[in-house]
Amino acid sequence: MPLAHGFEEWGDARADDGTATILQPQAMPLYGGVSAATILHLCAGDVARPARDLVRQTWRQHLPSERDWRAALAAGVVPGTASARLDTPLAPVMPPAPPPAPPVDLTLLLRPDPHLWDGREANNPWLQELPRPLSKIVWGNPLLIPPDLARSMGLRNGDEVALSVGARRAVLPIWVQPGQASGCVVGLLGSGRRCAGETGDGVGTDLYPLRDVAGPVRMVATGRAVAVACTEHHATLVTDTPSDIVRHGVLARFRQDPKFLGAAQDDPAPAAALYRRNPGAPVAWGMSIDLNACIGCNVCMTACQAENNVPVVGRDEVLRQREMHWLRIDRSYEGTQDAPDTFFQPMLCMHCEQAPCETVCPVGATTHDSEGLNVMVYNRCVGTKFCSNNCPYKVRRFNYFAFAEQERRPPISRNPDVSVRARGVMEKCTFCVQRIAQARIAADRDGTVEQVVTACQAACPTQAITFGDINDPDAAVSHRKASPLTYVALPEQGTHPRVTYEARIRNPNPAIAL
């Protein structure tokens, strides 16, 4: 039966503090779909009733009168439903004990996959090839184990184990996950499907049979190894001080010296001097990324892929380090394997003022325009890959094969404003030049100011990315770049990037040992 869209049905929900809200339809049903509440009512053996009546009946005791019901609808929340506040002081954590002996009984935690969820998105190649936020795994779901367990059993990434719960058993590779609780192994659900479709069938291991099974959890190494597709080490940035790439500090130090992490320590020249090419150009595009806001969700990667027709390459090509994402989220650890601090950093083409990729291209396929964009002329590219070798940020991608043709997508599913690249062509982030052109046309037509929002900026749920004209002192990107925390990645390269970062500031509790 056709299921009604969430915007077409009545329902209810609770916030994280327990406050309830009545969900009202935002549009009339287009095709007469049936709501989930009505289906559940039928499954319970009752007579079918409209979803509104079911929701009203559920909340009749809390909202007895019609006046109370309408007041709750108007306010958006049901009064008096928040949970009681519980203030519990955190006790200082004791110093870490020596690594314990291998546990006899493990705790198996089965969790939804960050991208595939419960398996409903298993046939989506974009999500299969989207790196998981922490492990950076693609095309699979290895068992995540803590570092102390890996040390005690002599296991390394990709080693195969037999995981058993009671009488049920699953065989899959392992992946060592820094910071995971000792004695816990985590399995991601949603993989190993048999009827998902051409993309999702047979990818990963089905761990649903291990749910709700009584009995001890055992893990035994099989002695075999499996290649696990991971993008973690494919584009490692080389620098004498690794912590300088993802700069971070504590709030107390920031209050003493707000500029202790900013670009002032790299270049005594003012920020405006970093943009040296065509300083009189009417527009100078730039981007600022706030590392305090980035949560590593990878939504920007998928938005960039959809906007710019970035192809999927498949598990085998990822193992050969040939993934095509124009934008990646670098995940960095600091500290010990057992209790590290985790940092995320979006990394894309920096659109350098002094771009080292441009000087080595023998055919002028990559060049600079008057507005500061490092642009690609695909028809000129002959695939020497000199530009990729000379890029210190490792953000260029090469089409080793006709990846776009292998996707077997209908042409209507692609963005018609972006060309589809062929085999043997280098590609990379363009600052969504097609959106810049669209905004310029709209501004000329309507007599308004250009408002350009890149695909990654539009999709970011925390507004960590800001893009705009750095020649405009009133632009949001200009205000972000004026922050004392602004810095550039790899300043020693002298590339003067148009992409800058705002260093991350933390405020740890000194009474708690992290």
Side-chain angles (χ1 to χ4, degrees), residues 217-269:
V217 179
R218 296 286 189 267
M219 188 179 72
V220 180
T222 65
R224 296 185 294 268
V226 178
V228 178
C230 176
T231 64
E232 181 175 8
H233 300 297
H234 290 192
T236 303
L237 302 189
V238 179
T239 178
D240 294 334
T241 55
S243 61
D244 193 56
I245 298 177
V246 184
R247 298 187 186 179
H248 58 91
V250 297
L251 182 61
R253 175 73 186 279
F254 175 75
R255 287 173 172 169
Q256 295 175 359
D257 180 13
K259 298 183 178 180
F260 79 108
L261 291 172
Q265 64 175 349
D266 307 320
D267 192 343

Side-chain angles (χ1 to χ4, degrees), residues 388-401:
S388 181
N389 293 337
N390 223 37
C391 174
Y393 305 99
K394 303 307 173 188
V395 289
R396 288 176 166 266
R397 302 291 178 259
F398 184 71
N399 285 272
Y400 284 87
F401 298 100

Side-chain angles (χ1 to χ4, degrees), residues 98-112:
V104 177
D105 290 328
L106 299 173
T107 300
L108 173 62
L109 304 176
L110 296 177
R111 297 291 183 264

Side-chain angles (χ1 to χ4, degrees), residues 140-142 170-173 188-193 202-208:
N141 62 331
V171 179
L172 72 168
L188 299 180
L189 301 172
S191 295
R193 294 192 58 184
V203 178
T205 305
D206 183 10
L207 297 179
Y208 274 106

Side-chain angles (χ1 to χ4, degrees), residues 4-230:
H5 191 274
F7 286 169
E8 301 174 347
E9 61 179 353
W10 287 82
D12 53 13
R14 286 190 182 272
D16 55 359
D17 66 347
T19 301
T21 180
I22 307 298
L23 305 178
Q24 306 176 57
Q26 304 299 308
M28 295 293 291
L30 295 178
Y31 302 105
V34 181
S35 69
T38 300
I39 295 176
L40 289 176
H41 203 64
L42 285 171
C43 292
D46 296 328
V47 179
R49 297 174 56 187
R52 182 188 184 280
D53 296 345
L54 296 175
V55 176
R56 182 71 181 94
Q57 178 182 348
T58 300
W59 292 98
R60 188 172 298 280
Q61 183 176 359
H62 202 91
L63 304 170
S65 67
E66 188 67 19
R67 179 177 180 181
D68 295 335
W69 167 260
R70 293 186 175 276
L73 295 180
V77 295
V78 179
T81 54
S83 303
R85 182 185 177 95
L86 181 63
D87 293 322
T88 303
L90 294 176
V93 178
M94 299 299 293
V104 177
D105 290 328
L106 299 173
T107 300
L108 173 62
L109 304 176
L110 296 177
R111 297 291 183 264
D113 187 277
H115 304 325
L116 309 183
W117 199 236
D118 57 358
R120 68 188 68 180
E121 303 295 344
N123 205 46
N124 188 329
W126 286 352
L127 298 183
Q128 286 281 8
E129 198 160 294
L130 186 64
R132 276 48 178 180
L134 291 176
S135 65
K136 299 301 175 184
I137 299 294
V138 299
W139 295 102
N141 62 331
L143 185 69
L144 305 179
I145 70 172
D148 61 342
L149 180 60
R151 290 192 296 266
S152 63
M153 296 185 65
L155 296 176
R156 303 174 61 183
N157 288 338
D159 287 349
E160 188 181 72
V161 298
L163 179 68
S164 61
V165 182
R168 299 188 181 180
R169 182 171 178 266
V171 179
L172 72 168
I174 64 98
W175 194 264
V176 181
Q177 181 57 58
Q180 188 163 303
S182 178
C184 294
V185 294
V186 178
L188 299 180
L189 301 172
S191 295
R193 294 192 58 184
R194 294 174 291 277
C195 300
E198 182 181 6
T199 298
D201 285 351
V203 178
T205 305
D206 183 10
L207 297 179
Y208 274 106
L210 303 184
R211 294 185 64 199
D212 303 327
V213 179
V217 179
R218 296 286 189 267
M219 188 179 72
V220 180
T222 65
R224 296 185 294 268
V226 178
V228 178
C230 176

